[in-house]
Amino acid sequence: MSFETISIIGLGYIGLPTAAVIASRKRQVIGVDVNQRAVDTVNRGQVHIVEPELDVVVLAAVSGGYLRATTKPEPADAFLIAVPTPFKEEYQPDLDYIESASRAIAPVLKRGDLVILESTSPVGATEQMAEWLAQARPDLTFPQSHGEASDIRVAHCPERVLPGHVLRELVQNDRVIGGMTPKCSEVAASLYKTFVEGACVITDARTAEMCKLTENSFRDVNIAFANELSIICDKLGINVWELIRLANRHPRVNILQPGPGVGGHCIAVDPWFIVSKTPNEARLIRAARGVNDSKPAWVLDKVKGAIAAYLQAQPGKTARDVTIACFGLAFKPDIDDLRESPALEITRSLALNHPGSVWAVEPHIDALPESLEHCKLKSLDEALAKADIFLLLVDHKAFKEVAAERFRRAAFVDTRGIWA
Ligand code: SAJ
């Protein structure tokens, strides 16, 4: 099957790179987004999100005439939906964005079109999307009612790219393609094969949905194990990072790294999509979420302990005289993304509750977010020279390079094990 025109719905962290990569293969790509500013930015050949190399690929795609953006869906041969799937109250998946995207493309669908859901979704979401499309277009047939004979093909193909490496992983990663019927999978695979160098592995839609949730839950559970170990080891007076290095010498052990908690908008969210469907069965997955979500509070307790020890050693001083420097705000190393970052949450709580100064050191940003209005952004050198307590939150390269005599100057709490 040949795809003359491909439409990407949602020009965010996944949709825009995907649109640009497909356009770089000299296909006509129409990007659709409800945000007029994002659409205008893309049409100028610029980007509204930070991802290495993305600006170059988008500029080439737009100036070459292969990519353009609009707020209103237009006819195309394939539609890739890459909109957010957050959770709402009680960790229930929120499919509102998928529903509005489906309803928005429904009027322009025509016989033979392919619709792919890329957004990370709870099991059953692809079938639900097909149902919304069928309700809006009773004149067309869909796989849930007409199987292989349907007018419209529907598949789920979850994105799996790592922020910071999106352009490489989009092309090199294997893709799991779950069609609502075998023909749907086959047609979807033929689209991905136009730009994916990894294998395109075929399954059904529900397995593809669960596969993506499983990958991120696997990581969450394993990080929770590391985080729990760090709390146990702290109590027992053992350096957890040395312990993990030693245990990982076993050929069948591979423990991940503890930290201040799990951030980003994927790993801390997706396990809940499993829990919400199977609350009684997903016991370990739920417990892991609890362990990781409670880590920031534990870190704050450690900082309290460090302040108390500092004041004991400095009679006459009060907490008001103590300056705390927080090293790192991003949700993981060497990126500028502060979304759902435990480092940001911890710094914010300190800035609100500590009577002395709280400084943030984040080499990847120029200004602090509004939520840190009580905090000051400082350079690495100034913080290392003047703060009283160091709180290491992100293992940025710049922090790993700090010489031991500089960070040993003050008391520190090291949540990443690079100064410990
Ligand atoms: N983290 C630790 N210890 C570790 C590894 C990670 O504390 O040993 C923390 C990080 O600091 C960060 C969080 O976990 O706060 C998540 O970071 P990450 O690098 O594990 O993952 P993300 O959220 O950037 O991207 C994940 C990836 N999924 C997997 O690796 C299974 C990516 O491939 C997915 O495409 C992405 O989620 C997504 O969009 O779902």
Side-chain angles (χ1 to χ4, degrees), residues 159-161 163 212 216 219 256-257 263 266 331-332 416:
E159 63 79 14
R160 306 154 98 190
V161 288
K212 168 65 195 243
N216 280 355
R219 204 151 164 86
L256 292 179
Q257 298 300 307
C266 308
F331 89 84
K332 63 180 198 174
R416 293 287 183 178

Side-chain angles (χ1 to χ4, degrees), residues 5-11 15-32 38-48 54-70:
T5 307
I6 296 145
S7 184
I8 314 289
I9 317 300
L11 294 175
L16 183 56
T18 307
V21 165
I22 298 178
S24 75
R25 301 299 190 264
K26 304 208 181 314
R27 305 259 160 174
Q28 286 301 322
V29 179
I30 305 169
V32 182
V39 164
D40 294 342
T41 307
V42 172
N43 282 334
R44 285 196 304 270
Q46 294 170 345
V47 295
H48 58 289
L54 183 62
D55 51 349
V56 179
V57 188
V58 168
L59 180 60
V62 174
S63 47
Y66 292 102
L67 171 64
R68 69 188 165 82
T70 168

